[in-house]
């Protein structure tokens, strides 16, 4: 008797007397995914039908059965149409509301099959009791895994047909209807009972009353709703859907998004939910946060100036309220600042990265003052011990370059970042600032000022800190401080691959407001006390004094090894040494690529290219071990 026959006979025995027979979990576990892939489809259907008949009458833990069903329906060839053919028919609503987590989960797995085709999702949408039960389970269950699965199913049904596509292009966009014109979307957001259930479950208005969730459970539901809204943000959730329902919960004009972001959370008395809310605001600022956005005619690609999400946050003063926890910490309680300062800093970093042209005027001044204040409070000893304001460094790394340029009224806080003593976070911040905008990424929106500002900041900082490259090279060779060494190498790489642009030539003004203007090439050279034109690119800056005197010899030297060390710690040192050597080798490869571009464009630096090729031919470690190698130590 094969495994399929054994399981069939065992299930028949259990069905004949559910109270007397115990499920043989070991037997059922033998039917794994490999067996499932090889059985005939008729046998698969017969076994699923047998399980469906047994499950409602089972008087013991159904987990072994639901696990077996999961294995049977897992293949993609098992479509929602076949789920609907199961006899007796699956009662999805009963499965979603059952007190058993195992039953909930298998019902969700079966329902999930409908998200692969719009027509199948429409069938589900035609059953309001299923949709209502799905939303109730998603928001109310206390089991995180069940809630997450319900969320995945709901999101999949709302975005059926194009969910899972790797991209939405101009070619396939026209062939795909907007998901929020689907029956499923209309069922969730235009069915009064279902739409109101979202408000009722998440609102604190009736918390702890009979038939309602407690306050703690409601805050969990609130966080789940915020997760979904960030993924389906579009005009439909920012506009009124059923005014009668919205009026009951204080919503004025912006529908479910207004309820969730403005009305729902008791942010003054619940600092943990306030943290979640600020994270939600930061998500809304990201240009790719919504799966629905490509289909939403009201949403254009995020510009350096604005987007519907930012307009919403500004309109309800959520932007200024959030920033106040960063720029004006003294206005708030110490408890709030303990939890919210970092969240507000992350929000500010997102805002500056995606809307650099909006970061002007008094707001810019307040942020720069706060960053400068935080950095001035750090002593050299604290930099050495890594007791640093990491959230403020994150903000600085995200600020648009033009805002960090010094002007007659203030010095830039960038000058407060040291290269001695070594600190990985400080070096990483400098690397981000000097690199300029990363082409082809979505974590930053480029402006006309981004590239020339990055170049200007590099030379201004180098003039302020002329021993920068000597410090960086020393740090790169300090294997005892692996993180700092890797950050130092990363700074070299950032300048070599910097995305820079030219400044306005001499005589061309920028703006009448000096805080918004870029210096001209002549002004920058004068501020840096350079009689020669400054290098136009990062690779040429590395090959010009003072960088060439420290960086190029370092890159061409063989890497340090520590094969002479014995005893404790050898493995750790060797591992760190090799990682550092590999990172250094990658930088030499980058240098070769950039120098080759210069050779191709100008015909110069061919000799340098030859020297680099000879170093690369030696391999990562430079072709030799360094007997008696020295482990660098930290100079405080």
């Amino acid at each position: 008797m094969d495994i399929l026959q054994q399981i069939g006979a065992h299930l028949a025995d259990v069905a004949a007397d559910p109270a007397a027979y115990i499920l043989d979990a070991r037997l059922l576990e033998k039917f794994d995914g490999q067996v499932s892939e090889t059985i005939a489809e008729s046998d698969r259907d017969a076994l699923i039908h047998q399980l469906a008949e047994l499950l409602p009458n089972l008087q013991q833990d159904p987990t072994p059965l639901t696990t077996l069903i999961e294995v049977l329906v897992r293949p993609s060839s098992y479509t929602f149409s076949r789920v609907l053919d199961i006899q007796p028919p699956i009662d999805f609503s009963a499965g979603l509301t059952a007190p058993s987590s195992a039953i909930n989960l298998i019902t969700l797995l079966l329902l999930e099959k409908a998200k692969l085709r719009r027509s199948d999702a429409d069938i589900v949408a035609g059953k309001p009791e299923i949709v209502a039960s799905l939303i109730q389970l998603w928001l109310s269950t206390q089991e995180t895994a069940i809630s997450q699965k319900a969320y995945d199913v709901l999101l999949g049904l709302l975005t059926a047909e194009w969910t899972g596509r790797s991209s939405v292009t101009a070619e396939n966009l026209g062939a795909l209807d907007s998901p929020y014109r689907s029956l499923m979307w209309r069922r969730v957001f235009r069915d009064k009972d279902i739409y109101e259930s979202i408000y009722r479950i998440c609102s604190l208005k009736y918390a702890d009353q009979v038939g309602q969730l407690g306050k703690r459970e409601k805050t969990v539901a609130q966080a789940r709703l915020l997760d979904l809204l960030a993924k389906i943000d579009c005009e439909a959730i920012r506009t009124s859907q059923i005014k009668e329902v919205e009026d009951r919960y204080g919503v004025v004009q912006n529908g479910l998004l207004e309820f969730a972001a403005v009305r729902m959370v008791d942010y003054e008395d619940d600092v943990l939910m306030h943290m979640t809310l600020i994270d939600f605001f930061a998500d809304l600022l990201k240009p790719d946060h919504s799966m629905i956005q490509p289909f939403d005619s009201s949403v254009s690609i995020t510009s350096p100036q604005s987007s519907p999400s930012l307009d919403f946050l500004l309109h309800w003063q959520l932007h200024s309220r959030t920033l106040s926890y960063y720029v004006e910490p003294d206005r708030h309680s110490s408890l709030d600042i303990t939890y919210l300062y970092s969240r507000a800093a992350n929000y500010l970093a997102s805002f500056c990265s995606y809307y650099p042209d909006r970061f002007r005027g008094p707001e810019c001044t307040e942020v720069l003052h706060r960053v400068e204040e935080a950095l001035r409070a750090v002593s050299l000893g604290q930099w050495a011990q890594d007791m640093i304001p990491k959230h403020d460094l994150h903000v600085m790394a995200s600020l648009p370059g033009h805002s960090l340029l010094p002007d007659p009224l203030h010095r830039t806080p960038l000058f407060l970042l040291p290269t001695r003593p070594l600190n990985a976070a400080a070096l990483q911040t400098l690397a981000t600032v000097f690199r300029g905008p990363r082409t082809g990424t979505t974590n930053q929106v480029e402006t006309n000022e981004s590239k020339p500002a990055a170049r200007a900041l590099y030379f201004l900082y180098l003039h302020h800190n002329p021993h920068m490259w000597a410090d960086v090279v020393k740090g790169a060779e300090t294997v005892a401080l692996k993180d700092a060494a890797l950050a130092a190498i990363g700074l070299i790489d950032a300048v070599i691959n910097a995305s820079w642009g030219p400044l306005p030539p001499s005589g061309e003004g920028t703006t009448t407001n000096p805080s918004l203007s870029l210096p001209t090439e002549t002004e920058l050279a004068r501020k840096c006390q350079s009689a020669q034109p400054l290098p136009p690119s990062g690779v040429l800056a590395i090959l010009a004094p003072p960088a060439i005197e420290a960086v190029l010899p370092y890159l061409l030297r063989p890497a340090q090894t520590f094969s002479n060390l014995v005893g404790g710690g050898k493995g750790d040192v060797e591992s760190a040494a090799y990682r550092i050597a590999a990172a250094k080798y990658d930088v030499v490869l980058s240098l070769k690529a950039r120098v080759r571009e210069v050779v191709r464009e100008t015909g110069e630096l061919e000799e340098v290219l030859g020297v680099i090729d000879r170093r690369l031919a030696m391999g990562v470690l430079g072709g030799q071990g360094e007997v008696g190698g020295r482990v660098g130590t930290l100079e405080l």
Side-chain angles (χ1 to χ4, degrees), residues 16-315:
D17 194 348
Y21 280 88
I22 303 299
L23 287 171
D24 187 343
R26 285 190 177 180
L27 173 63
L28 299 181
E29 286 173 0
K30 292 180 181 179
F31 192 96
D32 57 17
Q34 185 174 1
V35 176
S36 176
E37 292 290 342
T38 59
I39 66 171
E41 292 303 308
S42 58
D43 291 335
R44 185 192 309 275
D45 290 338
L47 184 53
I48 290 175
H49 289 185
Q50 188 177 11
L51 291 165
E53 289 178 350
L54 173 58
L55 204 53
N57 302 314
L58 197 64
Q59 300 178 29
Q60 55 189 289
D61 180 10
T63 301
L65 293 190
T66 58
T67 301
L68 179 56
I69 294 173
E70 179 184 355
V71 172
L72 287 165
V73 303
R74 187 179 299 157
S76 57
S77 59
Y78 200 88
T79 64
F80 190 64
S81 297
R82 293 177 67 179
V83 172
L84 295 178
D85 288 337
I86 294 175
Q87 295 298 324
I90 301 296
D91 188 338
F92 290 101
S93 183
L96 295 171
T97 57
S100 167
S101 298
I103 298 296
N104 296 157
L105 182 58
I106 195 59
T107 305
L108 290 169
L109 289 170
L110 294 171
L111 192 59
E112 189 176 33
K113 294 287 183 176
K115 75 179 187 181
L116 301 178
R117 295 176 57 192
R118 172 68 68 84
S119 58
D120 291 336
D122 288 347
I123 293 173
V124 176
K127 307 286 186 181
E129 69 281 1
I130 297 179
V131 179
S133 299
L134 176 61
I135 290 175
Q136 178 77 29
L137 179 64
W138 161 53
L139 292 175
S140 302
T141 181
Q142 299 307 297
E143 297 202 28
T144 303
I146 297 297
S147 175
Q148 182 60 49
K149 191 62 180 180
Y151 166 89
D152 294 340
V153 172
L154 178 59
L155 182 62
L157 293 172
L158 287 169
T159 57
E161 183 177 329
W162 59 277
T163 248
R165 289 174 180 265
S166 59
S167 63
V168 178
T169 65
E171 289 73 22
N172 65 28
L173 182 58
L176 299 172
D177 287 335
S178 167
Y180 65 82
R181 286 198 292 267
S182 70
L183 292 179
M184 187 65 190
W185 190 279
R186 293 202 293 271
R187 175 62 68 191
V188 173
F189 297 98
R190 298 296 297 169
D191 182 304
K192 179 182 173 182
D193 292 336
I194 292 176
Y195 187 60
E196 184 169 14
S197 73
I198 299 174
Y199 287 78
R200 184 179 63 254
I201 294 171
C202 296
S203 174
L204 296 175
K205 188 174 181 180
Y206 306 109
D208 296 314
Q209 294 185 8
V210 178
Q212 289 283 328
L213 297 176
K215 183 175 181 179
R216 190 189 71 82
E217 289 78 15
K218 280 184 174 287
T219 58
V220 172
Q222 291 173 354
R224 293 168 179 171
L225 177 61
L226 292 174
D227 283 344
L228 179 69
L229 293 185
K231 284 294 185 184
I232 63 171
D233 179 29
C234 61
E235 183 182 14
I237 72 163
R238 286 184 255 109
T239 55
S240 176
Q241 298 298 313
I242 304 177
K243 194 171 187 310
E244 177 186 349
V245 172
E246 293 156 357
D247 287 346
R248 195 170 299 136
Y249 293 89
V251 173
V252 178
Q253 65 184 67
N254 290 125
L256 190 56
L257 183 59
E258 179 189 333
F259 167 73
V262 183
R263 316 290 174 191
M264 178 179 74
V265 175
D266 183 9
Y267 70 91
E268 293 181 335
D269 291 331
D270 190 339
V271 68
L272 296 181
M273 273 308 300
H274 199 174
M275 293 166 59
T276 302
L277 194 60
I278 292 176
D279 290 344
F280 172 66
F281 297 159
D283 285 341
L284 288 182
L285 294 179
K286 298 175 183 177
D288 58 351
H289 71 276
S290 174
M291 297 175 64
I292 309 296
Q293 186 170 303
F295 297 93
D296 190 351
S297 60
S298 73
V299 179
S300 60
I301 297 175
T302 299
S303 74
Q305 283 284 354
S306 190
S307 73
S309 296
L310 178 59
D311 292 342
F312 172 84
L313 295 171
L314 291 170
H315 173 77

Side-chain angles (χ1 to χ4, degrees), residues 72 127 133 144 151 165 174 181-182 188 271 320 322 341 345 392 404 417 469 534 543 560 590 599:
L72 287 165
K127 307 286 186 181
S133 299
T144 303
Y151 166 89
R165 289 174 180 265
R181 286 198 292 267
S182 70
V188 173
V271 68
S320 58
T322 300
Y341 186 85
D392 304 281
L404 287 172
L417 294 180
W469 284 121
L534 296 170
L543 297 176
Q560 291 173 299
S590 291
V599 172

